Amino acid sequence: MKHIILLFTLLAATLAGQAQSSYCLTFDEYAAGTWHQLSQLELQYRSGNKSLWNGGASYKPVTGDSKTDKTLKKDACLIMHNDSLYINCRGLTCQGVGFGNWYAPAYVFDRDYFLFTALSLKAKKSTARSAFWFGIVGGAIAAANHKDEYMCYIFYPNSETVKAVDQKMMYQLLEDHPDLRSNYDDMVGDDADCSPQTVIPLLKKAGLI
């Protein structure tokens, strides 16, 4: 009986450890393996429309403690939650377009960089143009039309730059993997498909994420 109790205790401890959430304040902390533990965390998903209006990142971290919430929003750069990585998009821009103040799902890319998914530049620019010319209603209509258009981006911490993973970049990334490049051509056809559903599996097979 004691062995059974001990087994369940160890199992509970293991599950609790797996469910732990943590964050890094800087990318140097990430490189050093320095994580700050969180006693609780909820990542609230923001729908496509709301996400577009707020820049394109989809997840808002909530801990129930206002001071910690403020730290995660303004100071932290990465969150690890349920074995998944999320990057703070606050201050990040690509081609002059910002991603807002919340978090996006991320992967470590080629060891030193980060690949993340957020609403596409096309969706963001279309919504911004419509809002400029037709006001809030026009922007809302454009947001509804583009709410499911996501793409991948690569963030380079050292230079603080973000690049969109477009068709040209995919060909460069798969240059040493002709079989995967051929698969990519077969999947996209005449369309420059750079959706996460297409890009991420190929980059995983290439060993880049």
Side-chain angles (χ1 to χ4, degrees):
M1 186 66 179
K2 289 182 179 179
H3 292 294
I4 295 175
I5 294 174
L6 178 60
L7 178 61
F8 277 104
T9 301
L10 291 173
L11 178 61
T14 300
L15 292 175
Q18 291 174 343
Q20 283 185 347
S21 303
S22 53
Y23 66 92
C24 290
L25 289 170
T26 67
F27 291 103
D28 286 338
E29 282 192 348
Y30 169 79
T34 302
W35 291 86
H36 306 273
Q37 297 298 316
L38 292 166
S39 58
Q40 61 181 11
L41 174 67
E42 177 187 2
L43 285 173
Q44 297 179 350
Y45 178 74
R46 305 171 72 81
S47 67
N49 284 9
K50 292 180 181 179
S51 185
L52 257 176
W53 281 114
N54 288 279
S58 301
Y59 292 89
K60 178 181 179 180
V62 177
T63 65
D65 178 76
S66 59
K67 184 178 179 180
T68 303
D69 289 346
K70 184 177 180 181
T71 296
L72 294 179
K73 178 181 179 180
K74 295 187 175 182
D75 301 318
C77 63
L78 294 167
I79 285 176
M80 183 67 73
H81 181 63
N82 292 338
D83 296 326
S84 295
L85 189 66
Y86 299 83
I87 190 168
N88 192 347
C89 289
R90 183 180 180 87
L92 301 187
T93 62
C94 182
Q95 299 180 23
V97 180
F99 294 94
N101 294 330
W102 303 123
Y103 284 73
Y107 301 83
V108 178
F109 174 80
D110 200 19
R111 295 180 298 181
D112 297 318
Y113 317 116
F114 298 90
L115 179 140
F116 67 93
T117 61
L119 284 156
S120 71
L121 289 173
K122 176 184 176 183
K124 290 150 64 67
K125 289 179 178 179
S126 175
T127 301
R129 284 195 300 268
S130 296
F132 178 80
W133 289 109
F134 305 109
I136 294 176
V137 174
I141 293 173
N145 290 336
H146 295 284
K147 64 184 179 64
D148 297 320
E149 295 180 15
Y150 284 74
M151 68 183 301
C152 296
Y153 303 86
I154 297 177
F155 174 58
Y156 302 85
N158 291 337
S159 59
E160 296 187 351
T161 57
V162 177
K163 294 183 179 180
V165 180
D166 55 16
Q167 190 176 40
K168 180 179 179 181
M169 180 179 282
M170 280 298 290
Y171 284 149
Q172 293 173 343
L173 294 175
L174 300 177
E175 185 175 4
D176 296 331
H177 303 273
D179 55 331
L180 296 179
R181 178 165 172 167
S182 178
N183 289 343
Y184 179 65
D185 283 331
D186 291 340
M187 283 189 286
V188 302
D190 294 328
D191 299 323
D193 184 358
C194 294
S195 67
Q197 291 84 353
T198 297
V199 169
I200 290 176
L202 289 171
L203 295 185
K204 283 185 176 179
K205 289 180 180 179
L208 292 172
I209 60 175

